[in-house]
């Protein structure tokens, strides 16, 4: 029961604005749990967040109003166990009652007992009612506007897309070739009996293992990174000795891919608008043995202020983040439809600023970790239409990464990919001849 109190506290932290992965990592650093306990905490914690709309709807059908936040969290995690896990329902109800009794006394515990038993008996019927009413967004636990947009864009496969965004993520790490090799890392995994589920070049996906407490991680031989962000940075094609810009850099994972490709030779300017994130970039670079990065606090919309021209520019733009909901499920609830329009405006302003400071003949990659066309394909089409001196370049995507190319040459890692984050990327070259043509 103490573990459920921990989960309730975590859920409260997320509701108050903390990122779920940070809250969970802090708990696991602060307290020691057995492997089974950690797995249970992780599953219930993320499961509740992923299904919050469904769970809150079901609670609202059983209780007119829940005034105490702690009780709301108790109902959420208990409902989640009963509906989505192979739990002993009687045991779940008993634990919920005992937790409530200890927290608020006998009268509240009786109330909790009634609510949980009611849900156990009726959730199947409630779900059938939702189906008859056409309220699929509640069943799949998505905001209505988002659900309707995905269904409108992909009427034949929207269910696959929505389910893919809520899959259980794997731990992914990239080998830092400046300090380590894939052969050495694979030997380490064999010794630790950690199974490799998927490998994308130097990025490895695993179900389990205590890698984040290992000396390999502490010494910067490996870094937590998804293959999607790795591929966006790698496709920039940075070479030793070049001057490269990473417009939106924190925490520095993509910057480190650029530095590795450059063999730690040349210059990388890494930007962010937050001072504490600049420090994070610097700390990560030091840990990884990277010495060519200058981290600067600067809004990427004002790139002309820094006075340099660049051989290559990575624009991994601020976005809605709907491609990484598996890892950050709370992202589903903190944005509205109008926020997307604001993000598109920001993305286009950054792209225009980056285009100005890219050398003629230079190359630029635009990427996002979202699935929305407004931030991806529509931005790519807009950019090419408004910048005739740019042309698309073929991306290099490994055969074992599933996705779809668009008419502009961009690539979407999408619902077809079962492991790698959903991501969009496109590459352009600034062309001298076209630049002259546009002037004439």
């Amino acid at each position: 029961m103490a573990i459920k109190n921990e989960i309730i506290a975590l859920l409260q932290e997320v509701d108050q604005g903390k990122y779920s992965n940070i809250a969970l990592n802090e708990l696991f650093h602060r307290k020691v749990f057995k492997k089974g306990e950690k797995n249970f905490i992780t599953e219930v914690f993320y499961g509740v967040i992923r299904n919050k709309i469904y769970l809150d709807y079901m609670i609202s059908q059983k209780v007119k109003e829940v005034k105490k936040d702690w009780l709301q969290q108790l109902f959420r995690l208990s409902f989640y166990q009963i509906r989505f896990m192979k739990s002993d329902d009687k045991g779940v109800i008993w634990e919920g009652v005992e937790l409530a009794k200890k927290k608020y006394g006998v009268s509240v515990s009786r109330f909790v007992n009634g609510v949980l038993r009611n849900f156990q008996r009726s959730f199947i019927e409630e779900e059938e009612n939702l189906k008859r009413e056409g309220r699929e967004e509640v069943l799949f636990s998505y905001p209505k506007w988002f659900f309707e947009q995905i269904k409108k864009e992909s009427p034949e496969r929207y269910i696959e897309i929505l389910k893919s965004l809520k899959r259980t993520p794997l731990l992914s790490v990239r080998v830092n070739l400046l300090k380590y090799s894939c052969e050495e890392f694979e030997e380490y995994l064999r010794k630790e009996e950690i199974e490799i589920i998927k490998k994308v070049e130097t990025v490895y996906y695993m179900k389990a293992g205590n890698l984040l407490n290992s000396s390999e991680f502490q010494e910067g031989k490996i870094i937590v990174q998804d293959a999607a962000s790795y591929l966006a940075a790698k496709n920039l094609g940075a070479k030793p000795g070049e001057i490269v810009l990473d417009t939106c850099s924190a925490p520095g994972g993509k910057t480190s891919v650029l530095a590795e490709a450059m063999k730690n030779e040349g210059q990388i300017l890494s930007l962010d608008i937050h001072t504490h994130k600049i420090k994070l970039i610097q700390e990560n670079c030091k840990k990884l043995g990277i010495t060519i990065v200058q981290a600067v606090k600067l809004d990427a919309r004002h790139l002309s202020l820094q006075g340099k021209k660049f051989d290559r520019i990575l624009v991994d733009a601020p976005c809605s983040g709907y491609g990484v909901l598996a890892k950050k499920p709370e992202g589903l609830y903190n944005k509205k439809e109008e926020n997307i329009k604001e993000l598109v405006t920001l993305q286009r302003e950054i792209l225009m600023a980056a285009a100005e400071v890219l050398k003629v003949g230079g190359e630029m990659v635009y990427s996002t970790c979202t699935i929305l066309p407004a931030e991806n394909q529509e931005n790519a089409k807009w950019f090419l239409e408004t910048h005739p001196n740019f042309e698309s370049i073929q991306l290099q995507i490994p055969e074992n990464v599933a996705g779809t190319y668009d008419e502009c040459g961009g690539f979407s890692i999408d619902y077809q990919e079962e492991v790698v984050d959903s991501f969009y990327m496109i590459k352009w070259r600034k062309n001298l001849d076209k630049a002259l043509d546009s002037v004439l």
Side-chain angles (χ1 to χ4, degrees):
M1 285 195 294
I3 286 179
K4 286 194 174 179
N5 270 320
E6 298 285 4
I7 298 172
I8 288 172
L10 286 176
L11 292 170
Q12 289 175 319
E13 287 182 39
V14 173
D15 278 356
Q16 291 163 8
K18 182 172 281 190
Y19 290 124
S20 58
N21 59 325
I22 293 175
L24 189 63
N25 288 337
E26 286 179 352
L27 173 64
F28 288 160
H29 278 102
R30 192 169 64 246
K31 294 189 177 182
V32 177
F33 297 96
K34 297 177 182 177
K35 181 180 178 181
E37 292 173 334
K38 290 180 75 170
N39 291 342
F40 176 78
I41 291 170
T42 302
E43 179 176 356
V44 176
F45 173 56
Y46 279 120
V48 168
I49 299 172
R50 290 190 189 105
N51 294 280
K52 190 167 73 168
I53 290 175
Y54 168 89
L55 296 170
D56 285 355
Y57 172 82
M58 288 298 181
I59 293 169
S60 73
Q61 300 306 295
K62 310 303 172 192
V63 185
K64 186 176 181 180
E65 182 183 10
V66 182
K67 294 182 179 180
K68 300 182 185 298
D69 176 66
W70 188 94
L71 273 183
Q72 182 79 1
Q73 306 295 357
L74 177 64
F75 285 142
R76 283 174 177 170
L77 70 88
S78 299
F79 280 26
Y80 176 78
Q81 281 186 273
I82 292 169
R83 170 60 181 85
F84 295 100
M85 295 178 70
K86 295 178 181 179
S87 300
D88 171 15
D89 290 352
K90 290 183 179 178
V92 171
I93 293 169
W94 179 84
E95 283 188 342
V97 170
E98 289 301 308
L99 282 166
K101 186 187 296 182
K102 189 173 182 180
K103 182 79 172 177
Y104 295 115
V106 174
S107 61
V108 173
S109 73
R110 288 173 180 165
F111 166 67
V112 168
N113 181 59
V115 171
L116 296 184
R117 289 184 182 279
N118 190 349
F119 175 72
Q120 181 199 19
R121 290 191 301 267
S122 65
F123 75 82
I124 295 176
E125 182 182 348
E126 294 282 4
E127 290 182 9
E128 290 301 320
N129 289 337
L130 287 168
K131 291 175 185 176
R132 283 192 294 270
E133 295 168 5
R135 301 186 64 184
E136 288 182 297
E137 76 277 2
V138 177
L139 289 169
F140 287 104
S141 207
Y142 281 96
K144 188 173 183 179
W145 74 268
F146 182 83
F147 177 89
E148 289 180 346
Q149 181 167 336
I150 301 301
K151 186 174 181 179
K152 181 180 179 181
E153 291 167 355
S154 308
E156 296 179 355
R157 59 178 187 269
Y158 71 96
I159 292 177
E160 293 175 85
I161 294 171
L162 294 170
K163 286 183 177 179
S164 74
L165 298 177
K166 294 195 175 184
R167 64 174 180 251
T168 301
L170 298 172
L171 172 66
S172 58
V173 300
R174 177 178 61 82
V175 174
N176 174 19
L177 297 181
L178 296 175
K179 284 190 170 186
Y180 209 32
S181 70
C182 290
E183 292 75 17
E184 289 173 307
F185 183 54
E186 289 175 19
E187 178 61 27
Y188 168 81
L189 293 177
R190 280 192 290 271
K191 288 180 180 178
E192 296 296 318
E193 298 183 343
I194 298 174
E195 180 185 0
I196 301 170
I197 305 300
K198 182 165 184 162
K199 179 186 176 185
V200 179
E201 297 189 359
T202 58
V203 178
Y204 293 77
Y205 290 84
M206 294 141 291
K207 278 188 178 178
N210 201 24
L211 283 173
L212 302 189
N213 291 325
S214 68
S215 59
E216 278 69 15
F217 178 73
Q218 301 298 332
E219 294 170 8
K221 294 178 179 178
I222 57 174
I223 178 174
V224 174
Q225 188 168 30
D226 193 87
S229 65
Y230 159 76
L231 288 172
K234 192 200 173 195
N235 265 283
L236 188 61
K239 294 180 173 59
E242 291 185 326
I243 301 175
V244 178
L245 171 65
D246 187 355
T247 62
C248 312
S249 306
K254 287 177 286 294
T255 292
S256 69
V257 175
L258 301 176
E260 181 181 285
M262 296 166 69
K263 302 188 186 315
N264 205 27
E265 298 173 12
Q267 300 175 42
I268 300 175
L269 185 65
S270 296
L271 309 183
D272 200 89
I273 60 173
H274 301 290
T275 302
H276 71 280
K277 290 188 177 181
I278 293 300
K279 185 178 179 182
L280 186 59
I281 296 168
Q282 293 169 334
E283 289 173 349
N284 280 331
C285 285
K286 182 178 180 181
K287 179 180 177 181
L288 297 169
I290 295 167
T291 58
I292 63 171
V293 172
Q294 181 184 6
V296 175
K297 181 182 177 182
L298 181 66
D299 187 324
R301 291 173 292 183
H302 308 306
L303 283 168
S304 60
L305 296 177
Q306 52 75 45
K308 287 185 179 179
K309 292 276 188 176
F310 298 90
D311 297 299
R312 299 177 194 270
I313 299 176
L314 175 61
V315 180
D316 186 58
C319 70
S320 56
Y322 291 125
V324 292
L325 291 178
K327 293 173 179 172
K328 297 178 180 178
E330 67 275 11
L332 193 59
Y333 314 112
N334 58 23
K335 291 182 180 68
K336 299 179 180 179
E337 193 169 5
E338 54 266 30
N339 298 138
I340 306 306
K341 296 177 182 178
E342 295 169 0
L343 283 167
V344 168
T345 298
L346 173 61
Q347 290 153 359
R348 294 185 178 188
E349 289 175 348
I350 293 173
L351 281 172
M352 286 190 292
E356 287 185 16
V357 298
L358 183 66
K359 294 178 181 178
V360 171
E363 297 177 355
M364 180 164 73
V365 166
Y366 172 69
S367 63
T368 75
C369 58
T370 192
I371 64 169
L372 299 182
E375 301 177 76
N376 297 336
Q377 293 85 357
E378 291 176 24
N379 269 349
K381 186 177 180 181
W382 164 85
F383 183 81
L384 288 170
E385 288 175 350
T386 56
H387 294 77
N389 56 326
F390 279 76
E391 62 182 349
S392 294
I393 304 175
Q394 177 67 45
L395 293 161
Q396 302 299 315
I397 306 296
E399 290 184 1
N400 67 339
V401 176
T404 307
Y405 284 97
D406 60 44
E407 61 182 9
C408 292
F411 186 78
S412 297
I413 303 174
D414 56 23
Y415 71 98
Q416 302 172 77
E417 172 57 53
E418 296 180 352
V419 175
V420 182
D421 286 344
S422 293
F423 227 80
Y424 180 78
M425 60 192 78
I426 187 166
K427 186 175 182 180
W428 299 303
R429 178 185 293 121
K430 193 172 187 177
N431 190 305
L432 175 61
D433 293 334
K434 287 188 176 181
L436 289 174
D437 288 345
S438 66
V439 173
L440 297 172

